[in-house]
Amino acid sequence: MKDKKIGFYQVEDKYWQRIHLERSRYKNKFEDVLLYMANACCQIPTLPCKEYSDRYFNAIRMYPGNIDLATKTINNWRTEIPSLFGFYSENKKANVTYTSKMAHFLNENQDLTQFLRIFLFTFQYPGGHIKPHEVKKIIESKVRFKPAKLILQVLMEGNKILSAEGPAKTMSLSAEEATYCIFNDLRVTTGKRTPREVAEIVLANRKNKVKYYNPKDPHTFNDKGKSRTKGDQCRQAGDVLFFMEQACLVDNNGHGYYHLNTTDVETLNKFVEDNSFFTGYDHLYKKRSIETPEIAEIEPRWFDYVNESMNPELFKTDISTLIGEDSELSDIVKEAIHNLLNNASITTNETGKFGESLIYGHEKMRLKLANYDLKEFVIRIVDNPATHPGYDIESYEADGTDDIRYIEVKTTVSKSPVQMYSFHMTKHEWRVAKTIKEHYCVYRLMVNHKDLILYVLRNPVHLSQNEMIDFEPNDDGLDISFDYNNFNTTDILLWQD
C-alpha cells in the first residue's frame, strides 16, 4: 500500500519574496535586554561615533552572562538592537551619535507593553530597520505593508468566517502560516490579496491538511544552496508574532498558534483602522533604477519618524489586560487587583497611579498588621500633577515610633517577568532623598502577567555611596540600576478590611 502523498502549499516563483527582519538573538530574555540597553544608552552622552560605539559595545559586554561571549556575538547584538528599535542615531557626516527618544521613552516610562505597541504601530516595509539593499528589493517588488496591522486584519476576518460555524471557534495563525500566506507572498505584501482572502486560504489549507515547510522546496534554500531549517524559514513572521504577544495584541495558545487578545478592543481597532505610513521612500517606487546610497540617505528620516511617534499618551497599558483571566497570578491576587481598579479613582491604563494605589494598600496592611490605628496614622498619596514633593506616599515606619516613611513608587509593566530593575529618578527626587536619608524609600514594583515583585530600597543615596546601587546622571535626573541578587524581595500585602 502506497503512502498518501503529502500536499505542500505552493507560492509561485513570481509571487515569492522572502521578507527580511533583523534577528532577535536575545529572544529568550527579550524584555530584560530591551530595558537594560535602553538604560545603558541613556547613560551614554552624545559623542563622536567611534566613542559612542565603544561605550555601547562595553555596555553589551556587561549585560549579565555576556562577559565571556565572543566579540562577533557582541557585534551581532550591537547591530540588531539599534536596527530594530533605534535606541541611538548616527550622523556620520557630523561624526556624532546620540541616544534616541525611543531609548529615553522606554527607560523613563518603564512600560514595555506600551513601548512595543508603539513600535509595532509604526513598523512597516519598507523601513530603515533593514539594510538598504533589502529595502531596494522591497521597493522594486512594490511591497508596502504593516505586518502587525495585516496580521490583526487576517485574524479578524477569520473570526468573521468562523462565527458562521459556531461562536466557540476563533481564528488563529502559526508562524508557518503567516510566513507562507502573508510575509513571503507578494500578492499579500503589495495589497493585491485581501486579508479576507488570506484567512480563507489558511482555513482551507487546514481543512485539507496542507503542509507548508518542505525542505526540498527551492524557496527554503539559502545563498549557499542549502535548505534552511523550519525555524529559520519562519523566523521573521515568528518574531513579529512574538512581539505582538508581548504587546498584548495576540495570545499564544501554547502550541504555536496566535489568536486575538480581545481584552483591549479599542487598541486592536486603532491598529486595523490606521492608515498612517512613512512616505519617505514613496518617490523611489516611480524610479526605473534605485541606488542603495539614496536609500541609505533616507534612513535617518525613518528613525526620526519612529522617534516622533513615541507619545506617552498613546497605547498606555491597561492593567486589567495583564491581570486577565488567563493570568498566572492567584485568584486572590487577581480579585484584589480588580477590586482596586474598580474602587480607586484611577483608570486602568495609568500605570504610575496603579502602582501608587497598590503600594498605598500595601502600606495600610503593613501598619494594620503592626497594630497601628489607621484613624490616627493616616497614610496619604501626596503626589499630584501640580506639585511633586519628591515622593508619592507618606506612610509610617511602623517600628513603634511616629516616624514618617516617604515612599517614591517606581513601576514597570511587562507581559513577561523581567530581571532588569533599573529606573529613573528626577533631580528633585534625588535631592529630597538626600535630605530625608533613612526615611526615604524607593519601592521598585514590577507588574507582569505572572507575578507582582517588590523591592524596597531604603535611603538610595546611602546605597549609592556604598556601591549597592549604581547611578548615572543625565540632563533631567539620574538613571539608577541595581543587582537584584543584593536585595531581598518584599511580599506585597493586599489591603483587606
Side-chain angles (χ1 to χ4, degrees), residues 2 65 89 142 149 151 202 211 259 292 331 334 340-341 349 382 406 440 450:
K2 291 184 178 181
S89 296
K142 310 301 181 187
K149 174 182 178 178
I151 288 171
V202 170
K211 303 291 184 180
H259 57 87
T292 52
D331 290 340
K334 284 192 284 190
L340 169 65
L341 292 171
N349 63 4
V382 296
Y406 303 88
Y440 189 102
K450 299 181 179 181

Side-chain angles (χ1 to χ4, degrees), residues 424-481:
H424 182 78
M425 288 185 73
T426 66
K427 293 176 181 177
H428 179 53
E429 289 167 354
W430 190 254
R431 282 194 298 267
V432 174
K434 190 179 292 187
T435 301
I436 296 175
K437 297 182 181 178
E438 69 271 13
H439 294 302
Y440 189 102
C441 296
V442 175
Y443 278 37
R444 188 69 179 95
L445 175 64
M446 321 292 291
V447 180
N448 62 70
H449 191 65
K450 299 181 179 181
D451 207 355
L452 302 176
I453 300 169
L454 176 64
Y455 288 91
V456 176
L457 307 181
R458 180 182 289 278
N459 196 350
V461 176
H462 178 73
L463 291 175
S464 70
Q465 292 168 345
N466 286 274
E467 299 183 349
M468 292 290 288
I469 66 174
D470 298 319
F471 73 91
E472 186 73 26
N474 55 35
D475 292 340
D476 58 350
L478 305 93
D479 291 318
I480 313 292
S481 58

Side-chain angles (χ1 to χ4, degrees), residues 27 65 77 107 136 195 197 200 238 250 266 345 399 465 487:
K27 195 169 171 183
W77 277 45
N107 189 49
K136 183 175 184 290
E197 290 171 325
E200 289 171 342
V250 297
E266 183 181 351
S345 59
D399 56 0
Q465 292 168 345
F487 296 87

Side-chain angles (χ1 to χ4, degrees), residues 17-279:
Q17 180 165 312
R18 191 167 188 257
I19 291 291
H20 182 74
L21 179 69
E22 287 294 341
R23 183 185 296 272
S24 299
R25 298 171 200 265
Y26 41 87
K27 195 169 171 183
N28 62 336
K29 45 194 172 184
F30 178 71
E31 290 91 345
D32 286 338
V33 171
L34 282 188
L35 284 170
Y36 174 85
M37 292 312 304
N39 178 261
C41 287
C42 289
Q43 295 181 27
I44 305 175
T46 300
L47 290 170
C49 294
K50 177 65 167 59
E51 292 182 44
Y52 192 104
S53 180
D54 289 344
R55 291 272 297 267
Y56 185 75
F57 181 94
N58 290 335
I60 298 173
R61 174 73 75 190
M62 294 308 295
Y63 179 86
N66 280 7
I67 194 69
D68 295 323
L69 288 183
T71 299
K72 179 182 178 182
T73 305
I74 301 294
N75 280 327
N76 285 335
W77 277 45
R78 179 163 62 177
T79 56
E80 291 156 10
I81 297 170
S83 294
L84 265 179
F85 300 104
F87 282 173
Y88 65 77
S89 296
E90 282 186 334
N91 185 333
K92 293 183 179 179
K93 289 183 179 179
N95 186 32
V96 67
T97 302
Y98 57 92
T99 300
S100 71
K101 287 184 179 180
M102 293 183 77
H104 284 290
F105 180 91
L106 179 56
N107 189 49
E108 293 170 15
N109 287 276
Q110 293 285 310
D111 187 336
L112 271 162
T113 306
Q114 181 190 27
F115 174 82
L116 288 170
R117 284 181 175 182
I118 296 175
F119 161 73
L120 289 166
F121 197 65
T122 58
F123 186 68
Q124 65 171 62
Y125 287 93
H129 51 86
I130 54 177
K131 293 178 174 62
H133 71 273
E134 294 288 349
V135 175
K136 183 175 184 290
K137 293 179 189 175
I138 283 172
I139 294 174
E140 288 174 342
S141 299
K142 310 301 181 187
V143 170
R144 195 174 187 274
F145 81 114
K146 284 187 169 183
K149 174 182 178 178
L150 188 49
I151 288 171
L152 294 177
Q153 288 176 318
V154 170
L155 290 173
M156 287 182 178
E157 290 300 324
N159 281 341
K160 292 176 184 177
I161 296 169
L162 290 174
S163 65
E165 301 178 16
K169 294 188 176 183
T170 57
M171 180 67 178
S172 62
L173 271 178
S174 69
E176 256 191 298
E177 291 168 334
T179 295
Y180 285 83
C181 299
I182 299 177
F183 276 69
N184 296 343
D185 191 327
L186 290 173
R187 288 166 294 190
V188 180
T189 57
T190 60
K192 293 184 175 66
R193 176 172 283 175
T194 68
R196 175 88 179 192
E197 290 171 325
V198 173
E200 289 171 342
I201 290 168
V202 170
L203 292 172
N205 287 347
R206 287 183 191 173
K207 185 176 182 179
N208 296 319
K209 299 187 178 182
V210 174
K211 303 291 184 180
Y212 290 95
Y213 173 73
N214 179 5
K216 296 180 181 180
D217 184 347
H219 292 150
T220 69
F221 296 171
N222 59 24
D223 294 339
K224 296 179 181 179
K226 293 184 177 181
S227 180
R228 298 184 181 89
T229 65
K230 182 191 290 188
D232 190 27
Q233 178 75 351
C234 302
R235 177 184 60 78
Q236 289 88 343
D239 281 356
V240 172
L241 284 165
F242 171 78
F243 297 155
M244 292 177 69
E245 181 188 8
Q246 300 309 304
C248 294
L249 298 174
V250 297
D251 282 327
N252 187 339
N253 70 353
H255 302 287
Y257 285 84
Y258 297 83
H259 57 87
L260 291 176
N261 181 340
T262 55
T263 55
D264 190 351
V265 175
E266 183 181 351
T267 292
L268 297 180
N269 287 336
K270 280 184 181 178
F271 266 81
V272 299
E273 294 169 4
D274 169 58
N275 291 316
S276 64
F277 212 85
F278 173 69
T279 58

